[in-house]
Amino acid sequence: MDMMTELLDAVSGEVAARRIPGAVVAVTDQGSLVDLCAVGDLDPNNALPMREDAIFRIYSMTKVLTALATLTMVAEDRLRLTDPVAEWLPCFAGIRVEDGGALRPPRRPLLLHDLMRQTAGIGGGHHTSANIKPYYEHALLQKYEHRTGTPTLDEIVQQIATLPLAADPGTRWEYGVAMDVLGRVLELADNRPLDEIIEHRVCRPLELRDTGFHVEPDDLKRVAQPLEAAPATPKNLVAHQERPAWLSAGSGGYSTALDFTKLLCAITPDSDGHLSIPALGRITRELFIDQIGQLAGSGPDYIPGKGYGFSYGLHVPSSDPTWAAPQANTTGWLGRAASCFVRNTSTGAGAVLMTQCYGRAVDYRDQVRSIVASHQAASWT
């Protein structure tokens, strides 16, 4: 069975069972689009069929856009990943670590590198470490959601700086809102808002025409909607028609299957190991290098999974021999509403799944990852 057929069979089964409303699936080979198909409903409440150019809330897939923008600034020497966060954001100068019921200074400075690889100790994710969860609950600081009435990015970052870290920087993989702190650093380093940074540094060079932090009014008819009756679906979701107050560098994006296929193709090395993002230069290779080593498997919610480490917004094969696994041969990432992109690092096979389903993001990512990991590049022709 070819890879697209296997993916469509899996997705169609979920649509038929009413576990997802619909989806768009794409398959790539060595950095080129092979096929793209839409199944199910775009809007299950109005019986509108899915369309190939549907727009989805991509949540944490936004992280790879932020990571790419960051690497372009590193290449330009606008910032260094070894920069202490407090040099850019003085509000972090007094950051503390929660340690056995007491607060103390961190054993080393919090670095931009920690924000990129989710080792900052900053919470705010779906599963925040128990020792800092009460602080986040008391502050009413929650992960980004596509709703109205949110604070600004700067206000969120100022608030994060008042909360303790779950562990010393660089000692635990804590999946939270660290990328939002990085987003604010990017704004200061590039002297413009985050949405303009992503647009000029990532979307325009890669021709991602439908990717951003809001949806133009004329495109609202293309926004995919979840099954409202599903228990995990957030209430009062919106599709922002104007720039939201909180430009979330970690979870605020919208995109399409075609746009993320272009991105996946762009970060796919050619047969000589070169990449098609000239603005990033050699730093692009670091996208595929495990940045956390023996921290794999740590934290309350290790989303990359067994056999995988983490780079800059991507899962990658682990560099830790005690955690590595033979079948862990892909790179990619996922979003909270079950969209994901995956590339087989050995064969060049790739896939993008775009859907809107809450509560099973890791399950669907694992299914796509398993299919991509098991297919050879020639098996879909």
Side-chain angles (χ1 to χ4, degrees), residues 126-357:
H126 189 63
H127 298 285
T128 295
S129 285
N131 65 327
I132 61 169
K133 190 172 183 179
Y135 291 92
Y136 278 79
E137 290 177 342
H138 183 263
L140 301 179
L141 198 157
Q142 300 177 353
K143 60 186 178 296
Y144 181 85
E145 191 53 271
H146 293 262
R147 296 195 181 107
T148 58
T150 59
T152 67
L153 175 59
D154 183 46
E155 290 170 341
I156 283 290
V157 169
Q158 294 282 340
Q159 189 177 23
I160 293 170
T162 69
L163 305 176
L165 305 178
D168 282 296
T171 64
R172 180 188 299 175
W173 198 83
E174 178 84 21
Y175 199 57
V177 291
M179 271 292 196
D180 290 277
V181 178
L182 181 62
R184 180 58 183 149
V185 172
L186 299 189
E187 291 188 331
L188 296 171
D190 214 22
N191 195 31
R192 53 183 167 182
L194 182 66
D195 54 349
E196 294 182 18
I197 292 171
I198 299 297
E199 172 65 21
H200 286 275
R201 291 183 172 273
V202 181
C203 294
R204 285 189 186 177
L206 300 184
E207 298 184 353
L208 311 184
R209 296 185 175 89
D210 293 312
T211 298
F213 292 89
H214 70 278
V215 179
E216 295 295 337
D218 289 346
D219 292 326
L220 289 175
K221 60 183 179 294
R222 296 163 51 198
V223 176
Q225 301 297 345
L227 295 167
E228 290 185 356
T233 300
K235 304 303 179 185
N236 303 316
L237 282 174
V238 301
H240 291 291
Q241 301 179 51
E242 299 176 351
R243 173 194 287 176
W246 180 0
L247 295 168
S248 175
S251 300
Y254 297 84
S255 192
T256 63
L258 180 58
D259 273 6
F260 251 82
T261 299
K262 292 178 181 178
L263 187 147
L264 180 61
C265 291
I267 62 173
T268 299
D270 63 21
S271 58
D272 296 322
H274 298 128
L275 291 148
S276 59
I277 317 178
L280 295 188
R282 62 180 180 81
I283 197 75
T284 313
R285 295 178 184 275
E286 295 188 13
L287 279 172
F288 313 114
I289 298 172
D290 181 18
Q291 301 292 332
I292 65 170
Q294 294 182 349
L295 298 183
S298 64
D301 187 24
Y302 191 68
I303 297 172
K306 175 61 178 173
Y308 287 99
F310 193 73
S311 177
Y312 302 139
L314 300 169
H315 75 256
V316 294
S318 176
S319 62
D320 179 6
T322 66
W323 187 256
Q327 72 276 15
N329 63 348
T330 71
T331 185
W333 201 236
L334 75 169
R336 181 187 171 198
S339 294
C340 66
F341 62 103
V342 179
R343 180 177 68 85
N344 186 314
T345 57
S346 301
T347 68
V352 174
L353 168 67
M354 287 290 193
T355 187
Q356 298 284 261
C357 172

